[in-house]
Amino acid sequence: MSVPATMWIARPDSSITNLLITDEFGWGSHSACGETSNACMTANVHNGAPTYGMAQSICNRDRTAGLTDPGADSQSIHAIWLDIQKFQSGLLPHCKLYPFMEWYSTDQLATVSRSMLGANAGLLIEIGRAYKLPFMEQGVNYHFCFLGAYDANHASGKHFYLLNPDRVPRPSGNASHQYGGDWVSIQDICNAGLCGMIRVFCP
């Protein structure tokens, strides 16, 4: 199914409804938003659905590889990029790292987004003032989410579909604790301190 020239969607089936994430807590970690967002990205670009098991597997391999803070499971955008290089070689040719920077502007995010129009693609993002995001737990600064879709024609100026592993209140989801996202604006994202991105096209 082709993607309209005014959109991008991170699934080969081009279904926004099928874009899902899990929370970062249900399998035992309290700081694994990077690994959980990585699982979300990886599952969706392969037309699948993320699970706690996928996030835990990524967390375990990154602990062993030294790609997390000891005992904390927290990561940098560069550590997620290294995970992709080391463990997801099939995905690597379809990814581009926009490294840590304080801060990416709305113009810079718009430029990256325009490079994805009409494609099956998504953005794993790092933000530094996460507490400013809509539907976000208070007191959280550095955090990872996945932008699963963009629609230039979406109502109310909220063009980006944000999948957040720390959404508050936590959606009920299904038996696998999967849930969808929220439409947010480019200002919502950049006001929350956009500081890193990994762009991915579906392989």
Side-chain angles (χ1 to χ4, degrees), residues 72-152:
D73 297 330
S74 57
Q75 297 186 295
S76 65
I77 193 80
H78 189 250
I80 296 174
W81 176 247
L82 291 175
D83 173 274
I84 293 167
Q85 290 188 47
K86 186 174 180 65
F87 300 108
Q88 304 189 67
S89 59
L91 199 57
L92 183 60
H94 308 282
C95 291
K96 178 178 179 178
L97 172 66
Y98 295 83
F100 182 88
M101 181 178 77
E102 293 183 339
W103 308 95
Y104 285 92
S105 67
T106 54
D107 286 347
Q108 289 169 310
L109 176 54
T111 296
V112 175
S113 183
R114 282 194 295 271
S115 75
M116 301 157 65
L117 288 173
N120 292 115
L123 277 173
L124 193 158
I125 61 170
E126 182 177 9
I127 48 181
R129 300 185 291 251
Y131 61 90
K132 293 188 174 185
L133 277 178
F135 309 111
M136 182 67 201
E137 181 180 3
Q138 290 304 296
V140 177
N141 288 304
Y142 287 93
H143 182 56
F144 292 96
C145 298
F146 186 63
L147 294 175
Y150 172 87
D151 181 355

Side-chain angles (χ1 to χ4, degrees), residues 136-174:
M136 182 67 201
E137 181 180 3
Q138 290 304 296
V140 177
N141 288 304
Y142 287 93
H143 182 56
F144 292 96
C145 298
F146 186 63
L147 294 175
Y150 172 87
D151 181 355
N153 297 321
H154 196 268
S156 304
K158 297 183 183 296
H159 303 304
F160 291 87
Y161 192 69
L162 178 76
L163 295 151
N164 184 355
D166 192 6
R167 188 191 190 281
V168 174
R170 204 84 64 237
S172 58
N174 58 30

